[in-house]
């Protein structure tokens, strides 16, 4: 593999029999990023003079990523959390010479326009996620099965790895073995993080700052220094010049909550949006006074979420592999506005005491076409059982685990 990521196209190769495409690019600024605040983004979906883009000519390949929700569910098992991501993951994979000319771009360097091209796989190609995952899984096949290899198989989502252990010593072993495996593939793990003070002190030069008021994003979830999830990054304006259907949908879309830990609150906004849809309003038409007031009240209530904290670990004081008598309890119900379900884990502590943790929930708005309440309750029961099966599978629980619906 060449050392360079991009190179200047040699004058002798300007006339070529290979296809040619120039990648447009633009800067994306993320002030909240701890590492790279400005990223150049190359867009392979922009059409050329012939009306065809590079992505139109590429096969995206099947998705080889594990289920994102499943990764987060498994991440919450561990007493000691361990996260990392692959350094410049896509850029570690070489592009064949015959495909490099479709990855050209123009670079204005000190007033001189240079024609550059990628030697490695850029992020903007729709086939890039498949190429990355296929490369990683091919590399992992060279290693015998172990806890770390299985963790890399099951809990590496694109370039983010979410893992953990029952103790600091076990986490240290996973850290060393995972670092070695990824380094041998030329894909070093970086931006390490953990809730373990001992681990951070031992590898202080490698681990990110994780203390005080620091927080990081893991697969879209805000992970706070107290080892809990928060929702204070959902910055939602309380005042608009006008409230329109577009505003409401935009705010609902910002509430990224893959585990649906705040689904009762988000469901209220979705039901409200359905009421707006029934009126047949245009996207930028001002809402009627009554719906406007409901939405403003919902915004005020949403701010109550900001101080709320949810434990990352289901049972922070217990070791997952030592838990006995684990049970799953799933609940489903419906109303005229919608239906939903949730799944809890319950473990016995002795003396008729139990500890309970919410794993996952889902809420769905009732169809616009009128459906009877018994029918909606059946849909709630169906969702209840599906969530239960999903959680049981995602946590790799034994068949004999007790469950209740």
């Amino acid at each position: 593999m060449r050392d360079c990521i991009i190179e200047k196209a040699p004058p002798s190769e300007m006339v070529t029999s290979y296809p040619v495409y120039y990648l447009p690019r633009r800067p994306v600024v993320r002030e909240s990023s701890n590492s790279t605040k400005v990223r150049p983004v190359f867009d392979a979906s922009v059409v050329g003079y012939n009306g065809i883009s590079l992505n139109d000519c590429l096969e995206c390949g099947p998705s080889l990523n594990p289920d994102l929700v499943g990764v987060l569910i498994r991440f919450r098992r561990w007493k000691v959390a361990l996260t990392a991501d692959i350094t410049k993951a896509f850029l570690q994979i070489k592009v064949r010479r015959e495909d490099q000319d479709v990855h050209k771009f123009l670079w204005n360097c000190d007033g001189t326009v240079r024609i550059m091209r990628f030697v490695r796989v850029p992020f903007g190609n729709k086939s890039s996620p498949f190429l990355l995952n296929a490369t990683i899984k091919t590399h992992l096949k060279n290693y015998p099965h172990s806890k770390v290899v299985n963790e890399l198989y099951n809990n590496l989502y694109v370039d983010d790895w979410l893992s953990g252990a029952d103790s600091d010593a076990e986490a240290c072993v996973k850290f060393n073995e995972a670092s070695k495996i990824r380094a041998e593939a030329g894909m070093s793990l970086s931006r390490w993080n953990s809730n373990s003070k001992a681990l951070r002190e031992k590898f202080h030069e490698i681990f990110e700052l994780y203390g005080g008021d620091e927080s990081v994003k893991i697969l879209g979830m805000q992970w706070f220094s107290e080892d809990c999830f928060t929702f204070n990054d959902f910055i939602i304006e309380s005042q608009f010049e006008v409230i329109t259907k577009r505003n409401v949908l935009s705010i609902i879309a910002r509430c990224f909550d893959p585990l649906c830990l705040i689904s009762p609150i988000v469901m209220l906004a979705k039901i409200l949006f359905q009421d707006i849809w029934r009126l047949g309003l245009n996207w930028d038409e001002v809402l009627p006074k009554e719906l406007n007031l409901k939405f403003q009240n919902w915004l005020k209530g949403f701010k109550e979420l900001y101080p709320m904290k949810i434990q990352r670990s289901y049972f922070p004081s217990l070791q997952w592999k030592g838990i006995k008598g684990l049970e799953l309890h799933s609940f489903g119900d419906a109303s005229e506005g919608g239906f939903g379900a949730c799944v809890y884990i319950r473990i016995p502590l002795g003396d008729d005491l139990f500890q309970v943790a919410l794993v996952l929930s889902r809420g769905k708005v009732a169809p616009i076409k009128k459906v009877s309440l018994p029918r909606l309750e059946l849909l709630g029961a169906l969702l209840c059982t599906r969530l239960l099966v999903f959680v049981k599978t995602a946590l790799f629980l034994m068949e004999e685990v007790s469950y209740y619906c």
Side-chain angles (χ1 to χ4, degrees), residues 234-240 243-256 266 269 295 298-299 302:
F234 292 170
I235 305 300
I236 294 179
E237 299 87 349
S238 59
Q239 297 295 329
F240 294 92
I243 303 295
T244 66
K245 183 164 73 172
R246 191 184 304 276
N247 296 144
V248 177
L249 182 60
S250 173
I251 286 177
I252 293 174
R254 291 185 219 173
C255 301
F256 183 71
V266 178
F295 184 65
W298 180 83
L299 282 175
F302 193 89

